Amino acid sequence: MPEPRVALIVPSLHGDARGLEDDARAQGRPPDEVIVVAGVRPNGRARNQGVRRTQAEVLVFVDDDARLGGPGVIEHLVRPLIEDASIGVTGSAKLLPPGAPAFQRRVAREVPRIEHAVVAQALESNPPLDDFGLSEITTTCAAMRREVWERAGGFDETLVRSVDPEFFRRVRRLGYRFVLVPDTWVWHPAPASFGALMRKQFLYGVGHAQEVKKSPGIAGAFGLGTPLHALVYLLLRTLWLIPSVFVAWSLSVAGSRPRPAFRPLGALASYASALGSVWGWYARAPRE
C-alpha cells in the first residue's frame, strides 16, 4: 500500500506556529501538509476546521506552544496507525522545555498531567468508560487516521475545555485502542504564572461541567442538578482545600491513591477546577 498522506494540524489563536513549522520540516518523515488554524475558538472547532482543509489520511494534532522533541516524532506517531487498524489514536509524552523557570517546574511537580513521562515501550492507555481517569494521551500531540475522526463525529465544538476526554471517550466506545508511543515526546510549557494556572484549571472545570451536562451517563461523574447540590459541593471542596495542600490525590489519574505531599499549587489548581465546574453548570461558558 502507498504511504498515506499526513497532515499536521495546529490550532493557534495568534497564528504564530513558526517554531513548530520549523520542527516539522526537520522531521525524518515530514508531514505532507502543515495547516495552522488561526484565531478560531474553541480548540475543538479549530481542529475540525483543520481536518476539513485537508484530504490527508492521517491527522497529527499538535498545540502551537509545543515543540517536537526530535526528528522521529511524526514517524513514531504515524507508523502504528498504518500497521495496526485496532489502534485509533497514538500520542507522545510531554515534557517541560529545557531551562523551564522554577515556577513552571513547581507546577509540573504538583499538578497532574502537566508532564507525561517518556516510555521505553509502547503503552496502551485507553480512556476508562466505567470509572474515573483519563488517557495518558492528549491532543497536545496526538495522531489518528481520518476515518477514526469521521466515525467519532469530530471534536465537540461547544466545549471550552475537556475536548480531548470527551472525544476520546467516543473513539474508545467504537472499540479503538490508544497507544502512547515509545521514545517520543514534545516540549510543552506549564502555565507561566499563578493567574495563568488558575484560569487554565478553572476552564478545565467549566469544560468538564459542560461535558457532564451533555453526557450525563459518564462513569464516575456527577451533576450539580440544583443550587443546593452546588452549595454542598462547594462546601465540601472548601473544607478539603487545606488538607489537600498536604495530600496528593487526583481522580483524573487512573489508579491514583492518596499520599503525603506538600502541594499548595496543586491544591489551589484543583479548587479552581471545582469553582469552574459550578460556573460551567450554571453560567454561560467564559471565552477560552
Side-chain angles (χ1 to χ4, degrees):
M1 294 180 62
E3 283 286 305
R5 288 185 59 81
V6 176
L8 176 64
I9 298 173
V10 185
S12 175
L13 281 181
H14 305 293
D16 184 3
R18 287 171 292 183
L20 189 51
E21 291 178 278
D22 290 342
D23 293 346
R25 285 190 288 269
Q27 290 290 293
R29 197 292 184 209
D32 299 284
E33 301 173 78
V34 177
I35 300 172
V36 179
V37 184
V40 176
R41 289 186 173 97
N43 56 28
R45 180 177 294 125
R47 293 186 187 117
N48 287 342
Q49 286 192 14
V51 175
R52 296 183 186 112
R53 285 165 51 181
T54 178
Q55 295 300 314
E57 293 90 354
V58 177
L59 313 168
V60 180
F61 299 97
V62 182
D63 288 348
D64 67 340
D65 57 348
R67 298 294 300 268
L68 303 182
V73 173
I74 300 296
E75 171 68 18
H76 293 170
L77 290 169
V78 170
R79 183 54 52 190
L81 299 173
I82 299 173
E83 295 176 348
D84 189 340
S86 72
I87 298 175
V89 179
T90 57
S92 79
K94 184 167 64 173
L95 302 176
L96 290 186
F103 178 81
Q104 293 188 7
R105 296 197 303 271
R106 183 66 179 264
V107 169
R109 287 197 302 270
E110 295 189 22
V111 180
R113 299 176 61 77
I114 294 294
E115 285 194 300
H116 301 266
V118 179
V119 295
Q121 297 180 339
L123 174 66
E124 188 160 340
S125 181
N126 301 315
L129 299 179
D130 54 0
D131 199 357
F132 287 108
L134 301 168
S135 172
E136 289 293 311
I137 297 169
T138 73
T139 47
T140 299
C141 180
M144 65 195 71
R145 293 183 301 280
R146 185 187 192 90
E147 67 180 80
V148 173
W149 177 86
E150 291 175 343
R151 287 193 65 197
F155 293 94
D156 190 304
E157 299 191 1
T158 65
L159 300 178
V160 297
R161 291 290 171 93
S162 288
V163 178
D164 300 3
E166 191 279 333
F167 177 75
F168 286 172
R169 273 188 272 268
R170 282 189 276 127
V171 172
R172 180 59 181 160
R173 290 190 188 104
L174 294 172
Y176 291 110
R177 298 160 54 220
F178 289 67
V179 173
L180 194 68
V181 297
D183 303 319
T184 306
W185 69 92
V186 293
W187 305 111
H188 189 255
S193 67
F194 179 76
L197 174 63
M198 293 300 104
R199 177 167 176 77
K200 183 183 184 76
Q201 296 299 126
F202 182 87
L203 288 173
Y204 280 143
V206 172
H208 179 67
Q210 289 180 305
E211 182 190 3
V212 174
K213 286 180 73 174
K214 295 182 68 171
S215 305
I218 297 173
F222 60 91
L224 301 171
T226 69
L228 180 60
H229 287 107
L231 182 63
V232 171
Y233 174 67
L234 279 179
L235 176 62
L236 293 174
R237 290 304 302 260
T238 301
L239 291 172
W240 173 245
L241 177 59
I242 298 302
S244 68
V245 171
F246 304 98
V247 178
W249 184 32
S250 175
L251 292 175
S252 67
V253 178
S256 177
R257 295 290 184 270
R259 59 180 176 82
F262 182 63
R263 49 184 299 276
L265 289 177
L268 289 169
S270 180
Y271 189 66
S273 296
L275 295 177
S277 294
V278 175
W279 182 277
W281 194 268
Y282 286 103
R284 195 172 80 174
R287 289 170 66 87
E288 185 177 7

